[in-house]
Amino acid sequence: MTAASTNGSCCTPEGSCHSGESAAQAGGIATTYKVTGMTCGHCEGAVNSEISELDGVVSVRAEAATGLVTVVSRAALDEAAVREAVDEAGYELLGPA
């Protein structure tokens, strides 16, 4: 375990700053979606930004390399709302992964 993971930092030992770990500890619900069209960090940021605006979202982690977007929320999200947010970012939500 690294110093960062024991001192309350949000970053994991692997270097991820949005693992959703603290949200899960607070009773969050993690859902992973498959999104097409993301190719780079800018794409990830656009998807993260749009989904983060949804009510109840605690954290979002989009990964262009895999096309997976993991969302941690306080309650189950309406898939239509997530789809609309992804569409607004310029990408396509295929559904839950």
Side-chain angles (χ1 to χ4, degrees), residues 38 40-52 60 62 89 91:
M38 295 187 300
C40 65
H42 176 14
C43 300
E44 293 170 346
V47 170
N48 286 344
S49 178
E50 290 296 332
I51 294 176
S52 291
V60 182
Y91 306 96

Side-chain angles (χ1 to χ4, degrees), residues 29-90:
I29 297 170
T31 307
T32 302
Y33 299 95
K34 183 71 174 171
V35 174
T36 62
M38 295 187 300
T39 60
C40 65
H42 176 14
C43 300
E44 293 170 346
V47 170
N48 286 344
S49 178
E50 290 296 332
I51 294 176
S52 291
E53 292 180 15
L54 297 175
D55 285 339
V57 171
V58 175
S59 69
V60 182
R61 182 170 184 207
E63 296 181 29
T66 62
L68 298 178
V69 178
T70 302
V71 180
V72 177
S73 57
R74 289 187 283 279
L77 296 174
D78 176 38
E79 187 175 321
V82 176
R83 183 175 308 282
E84 185 176 327
V86 171
D87 287 347
E88 184 68 28

